[in-house]
Amino acid sequence: MSSNTTSKKSSFFLIAVTLVATMGGLLFGFDMAVISGVLPFVKHQFALSSVAEGWFVSSALVGCIIGVSFSGELSDRLGRKKMLMLSAILFFVSAAGTAFSSNFTFLVLARMLGGTGVGVASIVAPLYISEIAPAKIRGRLVTFYQLAITAGILIAYLTNSELLGFSLSHKSILLGNEALQGALNLLFIKEVWRSMLGLGVIPSLLFFIGLAFVPESPRWLLQKGKVAEGVAILTKIEDAEIAAQEVAAINKNTKKEVGTYKELFAPALRKPLMIGILLPLFSQFSGINAVIYYGPRILSDAGINISNALLGQVIFGLANFLFTIIAIWKVDKMGRRPLYIVGSLGATVSLFFTGWCFLHGSTNSIALVISIILFLACFAFSIGPLKFVIAAEIFPTKIRGRAMAISIMTMWVADTIVGQLTPILLGSIGPAYTFWFFSACCLLSFWTVYKMVPETKGKSLEEVQDIWVAH
């Protein structure tokens, strides 16, 4: 067999595995964004107070924290693949549960279950991709996870808009079977938010089926002493010589590792741990979820009706998706640092201008939409994807799951705070000062990367570990 044919087979295998793993990101994005279309209807139907509204949004985030709390260590013990399959099951049960919830309490519990699935996927999917990807394209492949998140967000916006349009244009669904007709009328006409949430059963089922055909992480297998299986997978991805070099490097580093949480606080890993905490913290306080969760409310308060507000969200989602492609294109060429520095500065400026639009009453003009799109563009090629790329490559293999758990736990705790804080800030200090607060957080994010984060493009995961030893 020619080397060209082998290379094509390796590329196909790698792309197929990456696409399946990134389905976790698609579900992550869908679950996160679908709430923007659901929220106005749930708030009205259950007469939610501001506190209850914040709790409904944040309930899934509490589930995320639960998922993160156990999935990091379990992925180190049981493997990456098993945890991804668990997340798919949780997504499926949650989507079905929210669609048929009988009361607000059951709805919140079902959302928490979905959030647990998101928490598991948010750690294990980028971790798995980083461990299976060749060094020269690792940044690109991990960034595909963020692209999948933005795709999930866009799908949620599109389906929310389409389902709302269907609900408004059809008074009922006429079928011969009265019981089926009643259920479909409830889901798609009377309480359309149920179908918005319930559509998650489709991608979650596809995710679970796809996972049945992907292998375990080769680095995890080698770390567990399953050398033959690990080598077999590595040789499907890279040529035999490079695979042999990686196996030697993995074995060498594995001997040095203890594999406990205590090791994360060793002097050599304090700096990567700080980076792994600060980047996801600032990513959530960048204002991205204020736009995702409360976009329709913000646009509605600016004088745009709910149907057009959801359409505006589709535009925002499309911008988020398209500009993530820039990160995929450039992350392994320009590197992590330049993209992050440029993007965080751009996010700072665009959020400042967004606040200025609200302060001076320019909310019913194209200026507000442009400033939010510019923010989404900057976030999409820097702050959004690079927190996953960097966090997934700066820690040793044996404790990478635990380290990612701390990193992603920080992200979800910050996300929960933002979910609760945003409606309070919007109601108390107003949208102008709310966006200026987020702008200041983006500036802090820029400073953190400029001062602390080394360039890791083109380095193997084992070479990245040596950076901290050298320092």
Side-chain angles (χ1 to χ4, degrees):
M1 185 181 292
S2 69
S3 60
N4 188 44
T5 303
T6 303
S7 178
K8 285 182 179 179
K9 285 190 173 182
S10 297
S11 297
F12 178 79
F13 173 77
L14 191 59
I15 290 169
V17 170
T18 301
L19 287 175
V20 171
T22 55
M23 281 291 291
L26 187 142
L27 284 162
F28 174 171
F30 181 89
D31 191 83
M32 181 171 60
V34 72
I35 200 71
S36 65
V38 167
L39 187 57
F41 300 104
V42 171
K43 182 180 179 181
H44 174 75
Q45 181 167 329
F46 295 103
L48 303 182
S49 64
S50 294
V51 174
E53 178 187 1
W55 169 233
F56 176 59
V57 171
S58 299
S59 60
L61 304 178
V62 172
C64 290
I65 294 170
I66 295 170
V68 170
S69 68
F70 66 80
S71 58
E73 185 166 354
L74 285 183
S75 72
D76 281 342
R77 291 185 178 184
L78 305 178
R80 319 311 191 195
K81 181 175 174 176
K82 288 187 179 71
M83 299 309 296
L84 287 173
M85 296 187 86
L86 174 62
S87 72
I89 293 169
L90 292 171
F91 278 127
F92 182 87
V93 175
S94 171
T98 53
F100 295 100
S101 56
S102 56
N103 54 56
F104 182 65
T105 300
F106 191 89
L107 177 62
V108 167
L109 290 174
R111 285 286 296 160
M112 288 179 70
L113 196 63
T116 305
V118 171
V120 173
S122 64
I123 288 181
V124 185
L127 178 61
Y128 175 83
I129 297 168
S130 73
E131 291 183 346
I132 206 164
K136 62 183 179 182
I137 58 169
R138 186 177 60 248
R140 188 176 303 167
L141 293 186
V142 176
T143 304
F144 264 109
Y145 176 72
Q146 178 68 23
L147 184 68
I149 293 175
T150 63
I153 292 170
L154 181 58
I155 289 169
Y157 291 160
L158 287 168
T159 54
N160 282 352
S161 183
E162 288 299 314
L163 286 168
L164 178 60
F166 181 85
S167 173
L168 293 174
S169 61
H170 294 75
K171 292 184 179 180
S172 65
I173 297 173
L174 298 176
L175 294 170
N177 187 308
E178 289 188 10
L180 180 59
Q181 178 180 324
L184 292 177
N185 279 325
L186 179 68
L187 288 171
F188 293 98
I189 308 297
K190 294 180 181 178
E191 298 177 8
V192 67
W193 58 267
R194 293 181 181 275
S195 58
M196 291 177 178
L197 292 167
L199 279 181
V201 299
I202 298 172
S204 59
L205 186 60
L206 292 174
F207 184 35
F208 184 82
I209 293 170
L211 285 168
F213 298 95
V214 303
E216 180 54 84
S217 159
R219 281 181 166 80
W220 182 85
L221 289 169
L222 288 166
Q223 185 264 315
K224 291 295 181 181
K226 300 179 180 181
V227 178
E229 292 177 56
V231 170
I233 296 167
L234 279 176
T235 52
K236 284 185 178 181
I237 299 165
E238 306 198 69
D239 64 51
E241 184 180 348
I242 295 176
Q245 291 172 1
E246 294 210 3
V247 170
I250 292 166
N251 289 335
K252 178 184 174 183
N253 280 278
T254 298
K255 292 175 184 177
K256 300 177 184 177
E257 295 166 357
V258 178
T260 64
Y261 279 108
K262 183 179 179 181
E263 188 180 351
L264 279 170
F265 298 94
L269 290 179
R270 284 173 188 167
K271 189 172 182 179
L273 180 61
M274 187 62 67
I275 293 169
I277 289 172
L278 290 178
L279 295 192
L281 175 69
F282 289 131
S283 78
Q284 301 314 106
F285 275 90
S286 68
I288 184 64
N289 288 335
V291 175
I292 291 173
Y293 295 150
Y294 297 100
R297 171 179 166 174
I298 292 168
L299 294 175
S300 180
D301 289 348
I304 301 170
N305 68 48
I306 185 65
S307 296
N308 289 335
L310 287 179
L311 181 60
Q313 282 290 84
V314 172
I315 295 171
F316 295 162
L318 186 61
N320 198 13
F321 176 80
L322 291 176
F323 280 94
T324 302
I325 296 173
I326 293 178
I328 293 172
W329 177 34
K330 291 294 185 181
V331 68
D332 286 316
K333 293 181 179 179
M334 286 181 61
R336 287 62 159 149
R337 275 177 58 86
L339 277 178
Y340 206 113
I341 287 169
V342 171
S344 55
L345 282 177
T348 300
V349 173
S350 55
L351 284 174
F352 182 85
F353 187 69
T354 300
W356 184 91
C357 287
F358 277 101
L359 187 69
H360 293 278
S362 302
T363 55
N364 212 6
S365 69
I366 194 67
L368 176 64
V369 175
I370 290 175
S371 63
I372 292 177
I373 288 175
L374 285 174
F375 161 68
L376 287 170
C378 292
F379 179 90
F381 72 74
S382 62
I383 301 171
L386 296 184
K387 66 177 179 289
F388 293 118
V389 174
I390 294 169
E393 62 187 10
I394 58 176
F395 297 105
T397 300
K398 196 171 184 179
I399 58 167
R400 192 169 291 126
R402 292 170 172 86
M404 283 286 286
I406 293 175
S407 182
I408 303 301
M409 175 72 81
T410 302
M411 182 182 80
W412 288 122
V413 170
D415 202 355
T416 303
I417 294 170
V418 170
Q420 291 282 356
L421 194 60
T422 298
I424 296 171
L425 289 175
L426 290 171
S428 56
I429 64 175
Y433 289 98
T434 300
F435 280 103
W436 284 345
F437 168 73
F438 293 135
S439 177
C441 292
C442 287
L443 188 59
L444 287 172
S445 179
F446 156 78
W447 183 88
T448 299
V449 172
Y450 183 78
K451 288 289 186 180
M452 297 180 65
V453 179
E455 185 54 70
T456 56
K457 72 170 182 176
K459 292 181 170 63
S460 71
L461 294 176
E462 290 67 43
E463 288 173 332
V464 173
Q465 294 176 38
D466 292 336
I467 292 175
W468 315 117
V469 176
H471 283 75

Coordinates of all heavy atoms in Angstrom, one line a residue, residues 354-430:
T354 N -20.8 48.7 22.4 CA -22.2 48.2 22.7 C -22.8 48.9 23.8 O -24.0 49.4 23.8 CB -22.2 46.7 22.9 OG1 -21.6 46.0 21.8 CG2 -23.6 46.1 23.2
G355 N -22.0 49.1 24.9 CA -22.5 49.8 26.1 C -22.8 51.3 25.7 O -23.8 51.9 26.2
W356 N -22.0 51.9 24.9 CA -22.2 53.2 24.4 C -23.5 53.4 23.6 O -24.2 54.4 23.8 CB -21.0 53.7 23.5 CG -21.0 55.1 23.1 CD1 -20.5 56.2 23.7 CD2 -21.7 55.6 21.9 NE1 -20.7 57.3 23.0 CE2 -21.4 57.0 21.9 CE3 -22.4 55.0 20.9 CZ2 -21.9 57.9 20.9 CZ3 -22.9 55.9 19.9 CH2 -22.6 57.2 19.9
C357 N -23.8 52.4 22.8 CA -25.1 52.4 22.1 C -26.3 52.5 23.0 O -27.2 53.2 22.8 CB -25.2 51.2 21.1 SG -24.1 51.2 19.7
F358 N -26.2 51.7 24.1 CA -27.3 51.6 25.0 C -27.4 52.9 25.8 O -28.5 53.5 26.1 CB -27.2 50.4 26.0 CG -27.7 49.2 25.4 CD1 -26.9 48.2 24.9 CD2 -29.1 48.9 25.4 CE1 -27.4 47.0 24.3 CE2 -29.6 47.7 24.9 CZ -28.7 46.8 24.4
L359 N -26.2 53.5 26.2 CA -26.2 54.7 27.0 C -26.8 55.9 26.2 O -27.5 56.7 26.8 CB -24.8 55.0 27.4 CG -24.6 56.2 28.4 CD1 -25.2 55.8 29.7 CD2 -23.1 56.6 28.5
H360 N -26.5 55.9 24.9 CA -27.0 57.1 24.1 C -28.2 56.8 23.3 O -28.6 57.6 22.4 CB -25.8 57.5 23.2 CG -24.7 58.1 23.9 ND1 -24.6 59.4 24.3 CD2 -23.5 57.5 24.3 CE1 -23.5 59.6 25.0 NE2 -22.8 58.5 25.0
G361 N -28.9 55.7 23.6 CA -30.2 55.4 23.0 C -30.1 55.0 21.5 O -31.1 55.0 20.8
S362 N -29.0 54.5 21.1 CA -28.8 54.0 19.7 C -29.1 52.6 19.6 O -28.4 51.8 18.9 CB -27.4 54.3 19.2 OG -27.1 55.7 19.3
T363 N -30.2 52.1 20.2 CA -30.5 50.7 20.3 C -31.3 50.2 19.2 O -31.4 49.0 18.9 CB -31.2 50.4 21.6 OG1 -32.3 51.2 21.8 CG2 -30.2 50.6 22.8
N364 N -32.0 51.1 18.5 CA -32.9 50.7 17.4 C -32.2 50.9 16.0 O -32.9 51.1 15.0 CB -34.2 51.4 17.5 CG -35.4 50.6 17.0 OD1 -35.2 49.4 16.7 ND2 -36.5 51.2 16.9
S365 N -30.9 50.9 16.1 CA -30.1 51.2 14.8 C -29.2 50.0 14.5 O -29.0 49.1 15.3 CB -29.3 52.5 15.0 OG -28.3 52.3 15.9
I366 N -28.6 50.1 13.4 CA -27.7 49.0 12.9 C -26.5 49.0 13.7 O -25.8 48.0 13.8 CB -27.4 49.2 11.4 CG1 -26.8 47.9 10.9 CG2 -26.5 50.4 11.2 CD1 -27.7 46.7 10.9
A367 N -26.1 50.1 14.4 CA -24.9 50.2 15.2 C -24.8 49.2 16.3 O -23.8 48.6 16.5 CB -24.7 51.6 15.7
L368 N -25.9 49.0 17.0 CA -26.0 48.0 18.1 C -25.7 46.6 17.5 O -24.9 45.8 18.1 CB -27.3 48.0 18.8 CG -27.5 47.0 19.9 CD1 -26.5 47.2 21.0 CD2 -28.9 47.0 20.4
V369 N -26.4 46.2 16.5 CA -26.2 44.9 15.9 C -24.8 44.7 15.4 O -24.2 43.6 15.6 CB -27.2 44.7 14.7 CG1 -27.0 43.4 14.0 CG2 -28.6 44.8 15.2
I370 N -24.2 45.7 14.8 CA -22.8 45.6 14.3 C -21.8 45.4 15.4 O -20.9 44.6 15.4 CB -22.4 46.9 13.4 CG1 -23.2 46.8 12.1 CG2 -20.9 46.9 13.2 CD1 -23.0 48.1 11.3
S371 N -22.0 46.2 16.5 CA -21.1 46.1 17.6 C -21.2 44.7 18.3 O -20.1 44.2 18.7 CB -21.4 47.2 18.7 OG -22.7 47.1 19.2
I372 N -22.4 44.1 18.4 CA -22.5 42.8 19.0 C -21.9 41.8 18.1 O -21.3 40.8 18.5 CB -24.0 42.5 19.3 CG1 -24.5 43.4 20.4 CG2 -24.2 41.0 19.7 CD1 -26.0 43.2 20.8
I373 N -22.1 41.9 16.8 CA -21.5 41.0 15.8 C -20.0 41.0 15.9 O -19.3 40.0 15.8 CB -22.1 41.2 14.4 CG1 -23.5 40.8 14.2 CG2 -21.2 40.5 13.3 CD1 -24.2 41.1 12.9
L374 N -19.5 42.2 16.0 CA -18.0 42.4 16.1 C -17.5 41.7 17.3 O -16.4 41.0 17.3 CB -17.6 43.9 16.1 CG -17.7 44.6 14.7 CD1 -17.4 46.1 14.9 CD2 -16.7 44.0 13.8
F375 N -18.2 41.8 18.5 CA -17.8 41.1 19.7 C -17.9 39.6 19.5 O -16.9 38.9 19.8 CB -18.8 41.5 20.8 CG -18.7 40.5 22.0 CD1 -17.6 40.4 22.7 CD2 -19.8 39.7 22.2 CE1 -17.5 39.4 23.8 CE2 -19.7 38.7 23.3 CZ -18.6 38.6 24.0
L376 N -18.9 39.1 18.9 CA -19.1 37.7 18.6 C -17.9 37.2 17.7 O -17.4 36.1 17.9 CB -20.4 37.4 18.0 CG -21.6 37.4 18.9 CD1 -22.9 37.3 18.1 CD2 -21.6 36.3 20.0
A377 N -17.6 38.0 16.7 CA -16.5 37.6 15.8 C -15.2 37.5 16.6 O -14.4 36.5 16.4 CB -16.4 38.7 14.7
C378 N -14.9 38.5 17.4 CA -13.6 38.5 18.2 C -13.6 37.3 19.2 O -12.6 36.6 19.3 CB -13.4 39.8 18.9 SG -13.1 41.2 17.8
F379 N -14.7 37.1 19.8 CA -14.8 36.0 20.8 C -14.6 34.6 20.0 O -14.0 33.7 20.5 CB -16.2 36.0 21.5 CG -16.4 34.9 22.4 CD1 -16.0 35.0 23.8 CD2 -17.0 33.7 22.1 CE1 -16.2 34.0 24.7 CE2 -17.1 32.6 22.9 CZ -16.8 32.8 24.3
A380 N -15.2 34.5 18.9 CA -15.3 33.2 18.1 C -13.9 32.8 17.7 O -13.7 31.6 17.6 CB -16.2 33.3 17.0
F381 N -13.0 33.7 17.4 CA -11.7 33.2 16.9 C -10.6 33.3 18.0 O -9.5 33.0 17.7 CB -11.2 34.0 15.6 CG -10.8 35.4 15.8 CD1 -9.6 35.7 16.4 CD2 -11.6 36.4 15.3 CE1 -9.2 37.1 16.5 CE2 -11.3 37.7 15.4 CZ -10.0 38.1 16.0
S382 N -11.0 33.7 19.2 CA -10.0 33.8 20.2 C -10.4 33.2 21.6 O -10.2 32.1 22.0 CB -9.5 35.2 20.4 OG -10.6 36.1 20.8
I383 N -11.1 34.1 22.3 CA -11.5 33.7 23.7 C -12.3 32.4 23.8 O -12.1 31.6 24.7 CB -12.3 34.9 24.4 CG1 -11.5 36.2 24.3 CG2 -12.7 34.5 25.8 CD1 -12.3 37.4 24.8
G384 N -13.2 32.2 22.9 CA -14.1 31.0 22.9 C -13.3 29.7 22.7 O -13.3 28.9 23.6
P385 N -12.7 29.5 21.5 CA -12.1 28.2 21.3 C -10.7 28.0 22.0 O -10.4 26.9 22.4 CB -11.8 28.2 19.8 CG -11.7 29.7 19.4 CD -12.7 30.4 20.3
L386 N -9.9 29.1 22.2 CA -8.6 28.9 22.7 C -8.5 28.5 24.2 O -7.5 27.9 24.6 CB -7.7 30.1 22.4 CG -7.6 30.5 20.9 CD1 -6.6 31.7 20.8 CD2 -7.0 29.3 20.2
K387 N -9.5 28.7 24.9 CA -9.5 28.3 26.3 C -9.5 26.7 26.3 O -8.9 26.1 27.2 CB -10.7 28.8 27.1 CG -12.0 28.3 26.7 CD -13.1 28.9 27.6 CE -14.5 28.4 27.1 NZ -15.0 29.1 25.9
F388 N -10.2 26.1 25.4 CA -10.2 24.7 25.3 C -8.9 24.1 24.8 O -8.4 23.1 25.2 CB -11.4 24.2 24.4 CG -12.8 24.4 25.0 CD1 -13.6 25.3 24.3 CD2 -13.2 23.9 26.1 CE1 -14.9 25.5 24.8 CE2 -14.4 24.1 26.6 CZ -15.3 24.9 26.0
V389 N -8.4 24.8 23.7 CA -7.2 24.4 23.1 C -6.0 24.4 24.1 O -5.3 23.4 24.3 CB -6.8 25.3 21.9 CG1 -5.4 24.9 21.3 CG2 -7.8 25.1 20.8
I390 N -5.9 25.5 24.8 CA -4.8 25.7 25.7 C -4.9 24.8 26.9 O -4.0 24.1 27.3 CB -4.6 27.1 26.2 CG1 -4.3 28.0 25.0 CG2 -3.6 27.3 27.3 CD1 -4.4 29.5 25.2
A391 N -6.1 24.7 27.5 CA -6.3 23.9 28.7 C -6.1 22.4 28.4 O -5.6 21.7 29.3 CB -7.7 24.1 29.3
A392 N -6.4 22.0 27.2 CA -6.3 20.6 26.9 C -4.9 20.1 26.6 O -4.7 18.9 26.5 CB -7.2 20.3 25.7
E393 N -4.0 21.1 26.5 CA -2.6 20.7 26.1 C -1.5 21.0 27.1 O -0.4 20.7 26.9 CB -2.3 21.3 24.7 CG -2.2 22.8 24.7 CD -2.1 23.3 23.2 OE1 -2.2 22.5 22.3 OE2 -1.9 24.5 23.1
I394 N -1.9 21.7 28.2 CA -0.8 22.2 29.1 C -0.6 21.3 30.3 O 0.3 21.6 31.1 CB -1.1 23.7 29.6 CG1 -2.4 23.7 30.3 CG2 -1.0 24.6 28.4 CD1 -2.7 25.1 30.9
F395 N -1.3 20.2 30.4 CA -1.2 19.4 31.6 C -0.7 18.0 31.2 O -0.9 17.5 30.1 CB -2.5 19.3 32.3 CG -3.0 20.6 32.9 CD1 -4.1 21.2 32.3 CD2 -2.5 21.1 34.0 CE1 -4.6 22.4 32.7 CE2 -2.9 22.3 34.5 CZ -4.0 23.0 33.9
P396 N 0.0 17.3 32.2 CA 0.5 15.9 31.9 C -0.7 14.9 31.7 O -1.8 15.1 32.2 CB 1.2 15.6 33.2 CG 1.6 16.9 33.8 CD 0.5 17.8 33.4
T397 N -0.4 13.9 30.9 CA -1.5 13.0 30.5 C -2.2 12.3 31.7 O -3.4 12.3 31.7 CB -0.9 11.8 29.6 OG1 -0.3 12.4 28.5 CG2 -1.9 10.9 29.2
K398 N -1.5 11.8 32.7 CA -2.1 11.1 33.7 C -3.1 11.9 34.6 O -4.0 11.4 35.2 CB -1.0 10.4 34.6 CG -1.6 9.3 35.5 CD -0.5 8.5 36.2 CE -1.0 7.4 37.0 NZ 0.1 6.6 37.6
I399 N -2.8 13.2 34.7 CA -3.7 14.1 35.5 C -4.5 15.1 34.6 O -5.1 16.0 35.1 CB -2.9 14.8 36.5 CG1 -1.8 15.7 35.9 CG2 -2.4 13.9 37.6 CD1 -1.2 16.7 36.9
R400 N -4.4 14.8 33.3 CA -5.1 15.8 32.4 C -6.6 15.9 32.6 O -7.2 17.0 32.6 CB -4.8 15.5 30.9 CG -5.2 16.6 30.0 CD -4.6 16.3 28.6 NE -3.2 16.5 28.5 CZ -2.4 15.5 28.1 NH1 -2.9 14.4 27.6 NH2 -1.1 15.7 28.1
G401 N -7.2 14.8 32.9 CA -8.6 14.8 33.2 C -9.0 15.5 34.4 O -9.9 16.4 34.5
R402 N -8.2 15.3 35.5 CA -8.4 16.0 36.7 C -8.2 17.5 36.6 O -8.9 18.4 37.1 CB -7.5 15.5 37.8 CG -7.9 14.0 38.3 CD -6.8 13.5 39.2 NE -7.1 12.2 39.8 CZ -6.9 11.0 39.2 NH1 -6.4 11.0 38.0 NH2 -7.3 9.9 39.8
A403 N -7.1 17.9 35.8 CA -6.7 19.3 35.6 C -7.8 20.0 34.8 O -8.2 21.1 35.1 CB -5.4 19.4 34.9
M404 N -8.3 19.3 33.7 CA -9.4 19.8 32.9 C -10.7 20.0 33.8 O -11.4 20.9 33.6 CB -9.7 18.9 31.7 CG -8.7 19.0 30.6 SD -8.8 20.6 29.7 CE -10.3 20.2 28.7
A405 N -10.9 19.1 34.7 CA -12.0 19.2 35.6 C -12.0 20.5 36.4 O -13.0 21.2 36.5 CB -12.1 18.0 36.6
I406 N -10.8 20.9 36.9 CA -10.7 22.1 37.6 C -10.9 23.3 36.7 O -11.6 24.3 37.0 CB -9.3 22.2 38.3 CG1 -9.2 21.2 39.4 CG2 -9.1 23.6 38.9 CD1 -7.9 21.1 40.1
S407 N -10.3 23.2 35.5 CA -10.4 24.3 34.5 C -11.9 24.5 34.1 O -12.4 25.7 34.1 CB -9.5 24.0 33.3 OG -9.6 25.0 32.4
I408 N -12.5 23.4 33.7 CA -13.9 23.6 33.2 C -14.9 23.8 34.4 O -15.9 24.5 34.2 CB -14.3 22.3 32.5 CG1 -13.3 22.1 31.3 CG2 -15.7 22.4 31.9 CD1 -13.2 23.2 30.3
M409 N -14.5 23.3 35.6 CA -15.4 23.7 36.8 C -15.4 25.2 37.0 O -16.4 25.8 37.2 CB -14.8 23.0 38.0 CG -15.5 23.4 39.3 SD -17.2 22.6 39.4 CE -16.8 21.0 40.0
T410 N -14.2 25.8 36.8 CA -14.1 27.2 36.9 C -15.1 27.9 35.9 O -15.8 28.9 36.2 CB -12.7 27.7 36.7 OG1 -11.9 27.1 37.6 CG2 -12.6 29.2 36.8
M411 N -15.0 27.4 34.7 CA -15.9 27.9 33.6 C -17.3 27.9 34.0 O -18.1 28.8 33.8 CB -15.6 27.2 32.3 CG -16.4 27.7 31.1 SD -16.1 26.8 29.6 CE -17.2 25.4 29.9
W412 N -17.8 26.7 34.5 CA -19.2 26.5 34.8 C -19.6 27.3 36.0 O -20.8 27.8 36.1 CB -19.6 25.1 34.8 CG -19.5 24.4 33.5 CD1 -18.8 23.3 33.2 CD2 -20.3 24.7 32.4 NE1 -19.0 23.0 31.9 CE2 -19.9 23.8 31.3 CE3 -21.2 25.7 32.1 CZ2 -20.4 23.9 30.1 CZ3 -21.7 25.8 30.8 CH2 -21.3 24.9 29.8
V413 N -18.8 27.4 37.0 CA -19.1 28.2 38.2 C -19.3 29.7 37.7 O -20.2 30.4 38.1 CB -18.1 28.1 39.3 CG1 -18.3 29.1 40.4 CG2 -18.1 26.7 39.9
A414 N -18.3 30.1 36.9 CA -18.4 31.5 36.4 C -19.7 31.7 35.6 O -20.4 32.7 35.6 CB -17.2 31.8 35.6
D415 N -20.0 30.7 34.8 CA -21.2 30.7 33.9 C -22.5 30.8 34.8 O -23.4 31.5 34.4 CB -21.2 29.5 33.0 CG -22.0 29.7 31.8 OD1 -22.7 30.7 31.7 OD2 -22.1 28.8 30.9
T416 N -22.5 30.0 35.8 CA -23.6 30.1 36.7 C -23.8 31.5 37.4 O -24.9 32.0 37.4 CB -23.5 29.0 37.9 OG1 -23.3 27.7 37.3 CG2 -24.7 29.0 38.8
I417 N -22.7 32.0 37.8 CA -22.7 33.4 38.3 C -23.2 34.4 37.3 O -24.1 35.2 37.6 CB -21.3 33.8 38.9 CG1 -21.0 32.9 40.1 CG2 -21.3 35.3 39.3 CD1 -19.5 33.1 40.5
V418 N -22.7 34.3 36.1 CA -23.2 35.2 35.0 C -24.6 35.0 34.7 O -25.4 36.0 34.5 CB -22.3 35.0 33.7 CG1 -22.9 35.8 32.6 CG2 -20.9 35.4 34.0
G419 N -25.1 33.8 34.7 CA -26.5 33.5 34.5 C -27.4 34.1 35.5 O -28.5 34.7 35.2
Q420 N -27.0 34.1 36.7 CA -27.8 34.8 37.8 C -27.6 36.3 37.8 O -28.5 37.0 38.1 CB -27.3 34.2 39.2 CG -27.7 32.7 39.4 CD -29.2 32.6 39.8 OE1 -29.9 33.5 39.9 NE2 -29.6 31.3 39.9
L421 N -26.4 36.7 37.5 CA -26.0 38.1 37.6 C -26.6 39.0 36.5 O -26.9 40.1 36.7 CB -24.5 38.2 37.7 CG -23.9 39.6 38.2 CD1 -24.3 39.9 39.6 CD2 -22.4 39.5 38.1
T422 N -26.6 38.4 35.3 CA -27.0 39.2 34.1 C -28.4 39.9 34.2 O -28.5 41.1 34.0 CB -26.9 38.4 32.8 OG1 -25.5 38.0 32.7 CG2 -27.3 39.2 31.6
P423 N -29.4 39.2 34.6 CA -30.7 39.8 34.7 C -30.7 40.9 35.8 O -31.4 41.9 35.7 CB -31.7 38.7 35.0 CG -30.9 37.6 35.5 CD -29.6 37.7 34.8
I424 N -30.0 40.6 36.9 CA -29.9 41.6 38.0 C -29.2 42.9 37.5 O -29.6 44.0 37.8 CB -29.2 41.0 39.2 CG1 -30.0 39.8 39.7 CG2 -29.0 42.0 40.3 CD1 -29.3 39.0 40.8
L425 N -28.0 42.7 36.8 CA -27.3 43.8 36.3 C -28.1 44.6 35.3 O -28.2 45.9 35.3 CB -26.0 43.4 35.7 CG -24.9 42.9 36.6 CD1 -23.7 42.4 35.8 CD2 -24.4 44.0 37.6
L426 N -28.8 43.9 34.4 CA -29.6 44.6 33.4 C -30.7 45.4 34.0 O -31.1 46.5 33.6 CB -30.2 43.5 32.4 CG -29.3 42.9 31.4 CD1 -30.0 41.7 30.7 CD2 -28.7 43.9 30.4
G427 N -31.3 44.8 35.1 CA -32.4 45.5 35.8 C -31.9 46.6 36.7 O -32.7 47.6 37.0
S428 N -30.7 46.6 37.3 CA -30.3 47.6 38.2 C -29.4 48.7 37.6 O -29.8 49.8 37.7 CB -29.5 46.9 39.4 OG -28.4 46.1 38.9
I429 N -28.3 48.3 37.0 CA -27.4 49.3 36.4 C -27.7 49.6 35.0 O -27.1 50.5 34.4 CB -25.9 49.0 36.7 CG1 -25.5 47.7 35.9 CG2 -25.6 48.8 38.2 CD1 -24.1 47.3 36.0
G430 N -28.5 48.7 34.3 CA -28.8 48.9 32.9 C -27.8 48.2 32.0 O -26.7 47.9 32.4

